[in-house]
Amino acid sequence: MYRRPLVMGNWKLNGSQQMVTKLITELRTTLSGIQNCSVAIAPPMVYLAQARDQLVGGSGNISLAAQNVDVNLKGAFTGEIAVSMLKEIGVEYVIIGHSERRTYHHENDEVIAEKFAVLKSVGLIPVLCIGESQAENEAGQTETVCKRQLDTVLETLGVKAFENAVIAYEPVWAIGTGQSATPQQAQKTHKFIRDYIAQQDAQVAEKIIIQYGGSVNANNSAELFKQPDIDGALVGGASLEADKFIDIVKAAENAQQYQ
Ligand code: 13P
C-alpha cells in the first residue's frame, strides 16, 4: 500500500518574524522539486498569517499547520483560537494531544477527542500525538498507553474519523532528548497502532499516515523511513534550522518505500 509520507516541522515556542522569513525562503527554494513527500510547518500562532503570505503563490508545496486549537467555536474564551480562524487563515493540519500540552496544560484524552471532533467538523486534518512516558516504557506499557490514547477518539467518534487524519507516535522519552527510538522499536509500535485500527477498519488502517516523532534528525531519519509502517516524521528541534529540516525531507523524498 502506497502512503505519501508527511514531514512536519513543529516549531513549538520558537521563532520571530525574521526567522519565519528566513526559514520559509530557504525551504521554498530548496524544496520546490519535492514530489514523493508532503511537507508542512507549524509555527507559533502569531506567525501563521505571515507564514501563509510567504507560502502562498510560490513554487514550494509546503502546507501550514497549527500547534493547537480550542474546543469552543466562539465566545468568551480569553486567549483561545477557534477552528474557523485557523481554517480562514489557510491552515490544513492541527497538532493535538502533544505530550507537552498533556503535561503542561493538563489536556486529557477527552479534551483531545473533542478537539479532534471540531477539527473534523470543518475539514481540518488532526495530527493526533500519542506515546508513552519513560516510566510507562520501562514498565512495558507502551501499547496499553497508545491504545488508551486512541480509544477515546475511537469510542466517541468511530474509526471513520481517522479517514483523513494523521497519527504521530511520539514516545515522550524521545522528545528533545537526542535519544530517538530505534527504527525497530518505532516500527513495532507503529505496526501495533495500524493493526489496532485495522481491527475496526482495514481500509482506514491501510491509508492512515503514522508519523514518528522524537529526536528525528538528518542522521537517523533515513533508517526510520525504511520501516514499513513509518510514514514520515513530526520534527521538533531539527525543524528550526533549514539545512537539518531539508535533509530530513530529502530522506523521505528518497526513501525506497515511498516511491
Ligand atoms: P524533537 O524533534 O525536538 O525531539 O521534538 C519532537 C516533537 O515533540 C515534535 O512534535
Side-chain angles (χ1 to χ4, degrees), residues 10 12 98 100 170 174-177 213-216 234-238:
N10 175 9
K12 307 190 181 184
H98 195 284
E100 288 150 17
E170 297 207 301
I175 295 176
T177 59
S215 297
V216 175
L234 186 54
V235 184

Side-chain angles (χ1 to χ4, degrees), residues 200-222:
Q200 297 198 21
D201 192 314
Q203 281 186 335
V204 171
E206 254 201 17
K207 284 197 191 139
I208 192 160
I209 298 298
I210 309 179
Q211 297 176 301
Y212 169 77
S215 297
V216 175
N217 59 41
N219 297 326
N220 61 22
S221 49

Side-chain angles (χ1 to χ4, degrees), residues 27-46:
L27 295 181
R28 277 189 47 188
T29 313
T30 319
L31 299 180
S32 59
I34 293 291
Q35 285 179 336
N36 304 323
C37 171
S38 300
V39 182
I41 53 168
M45 296 284 188
V46 288

Side-chain angles (χ1 to χ4, degrees), residues 3-246:
R3 287 182 294 270
R4 185 179 171 82
L6 170 64
V7 176
M8 182 179 289
N10 175 9
W11 293 13
K12 307 190 181 184
L13 186 52
N14 296 290
S16 62
Q17 291 186 43
Q18 196 188 7
M19 175 187 156
V20 172
T21 303
K22 186 167 177 289
L23 201 46
I24 294 183
T25 304
E26 288 173 348
L27 295 181
R28 277 189 47 188
T29 313
T30 319
L31 299 180
S32 59
I34 293 291
Q35 285 179 336
N36 304 323
C37 171
S38 300
V39 182
I41 53 168
M45 296 284 188
V46 288
Y47 302 127
L48 284 173
Q50 185 194 343
R52 186 264 328 267
D53 289 347
Q54 284 185 234
L55 291 171
V56 161
S59 49
N61 39 7
I62 302 169
S63 301
L64 204 54
Q67 297 178 21
N68 186 29
V69 70
D70 192 34
V71 293
N72 298 290
L73 301 181
K74 65 175 194 169
F77 302 100
T78 302
E80 297 297 346
I81 308 274
V83 281
S84 59
M85 300 169 186
L86 295 180
K87 189 149 171 124
E88 184 180 30
I89 218 161
V91 164
E92 281 179 55
Y93 300 93
V94 181
I95 300 169
I96 55 172
H98 195 284
S99 73
E100 288 150 17
R101 293 212 59 90
R102 292 178 190 263
T103 304
Y104 306 134
H105 300 273
H106 311 292
E107 293 189 8
N108 59 26
D109 290 328
E110 284 69 31
V111 169
I112 293 159
E114 278 185 65
K115 292 188 175 192
F116 199 113
V118 288
L119 291 172
K120 294 292 289 188
S121 73
V122 297
L124 289 170
I125 303 173
V127 178
L128 173 66
C129 301
I130 62 173
E132 81 288 359
S133 68
Q134 173 102 44
E136 289 162 340
N137 181 276
E138 284 165 8
Q141 293 170 347
T142 299
E143 294 181 358
T144 318
V145 171
C146 290
K147 179 176 168 307
R148 191 192 70 224
Q149 292 175 337
L150 292 170
D151 274 345
T152 318
V153 176
L154 286 167
E155 283 160 16
T156 52
L157 305 177
V159 68
K160 295 282 188 206
F162 283 94
E163 275 178 342
N164 211 18
V166 175
I167 295 172
Y169 170 58
E170 297 207 301
V172 181
W173 48 269
I175 295 176
T177 59
Q179 186 202 344
S180 167
T182 65
Q184 293 70 27
Q185 271 175 319
Q187 165 58 24
K188 183 166 178 281
T189 308
H190 280 232
K191 182 164 181 352
F192 167 78
I193 294 166
R194 200 179 304 284
D195 287 350
Y196 187 59
I197 293 184
Q199 285 172 20
Q200 297 198 21
D201 192 314
Q203 281 186 335
V204 171
E206 254 201 17
K207 284 197 191 139
I208 192 160
I209 298 298
I210 309 179
Q211 297 176 301
Y212 169 77
S215 297
V216 175
N217 59 41
N219 297 326
N220 61 22
S221 49
E223 283 302 312
L224 287 161
F225 297 155
K226 279 187 190 159
Q227 306 303 314
D229 289 292
I230 297 183
D231 312 314
L234 186 54
V235 184
S239 72
L240 300 173
E241 288 173 59
D243 291 356
K244 292 183 178 168
F245 190 62
I246 287 164

